[in-house]
Amino acid sequence: MKELVEKINAAIAEFSTNANAQVENGNKAAGTRARKASLELEKLLKEFRKASIEAAK
């Protein structure tokens, strides 16, 4: 589970960096990278939810 949380934190950092670059600088490529990171983050959060539910049993 620790490794999964580390991956989630990395995805959040990547999303944040690229989303801010798009908002502040109008960087369209960064916007594309932010969208890609958001999809990865969504996938990782679903994995975390499953793992968390299993651990709670």
Side-chain angles (χ1 to χ4, degrees), residues 20-42:
N20 285 330
Q22 180 186 19
V23 170
E24 293 173 7
N25 304 327
N27 185 332
K28 290 181 183 180
T32 300
R33 290 189 300 270
R35 288 189 297 278
K36 183 179 177 185
S38 73
L39 292 173
E40 180 66 19
L41 183 56
E42 183 178 359

Side-chain angles (χ1 to χ4, degrees), residues 37-54:
S38 73
L39 292 173
E40 180 66 19
L41 183 56
E42 183 178 359
K43 180 182 127 189
L44 290 169
L45 289 172
K46 284 180 182 179
E47 286 181 40
F48 176 81
R49 184 173 182 272
K50 284 182 183 179
S52 179
I53 289 171
E54 283 298 314

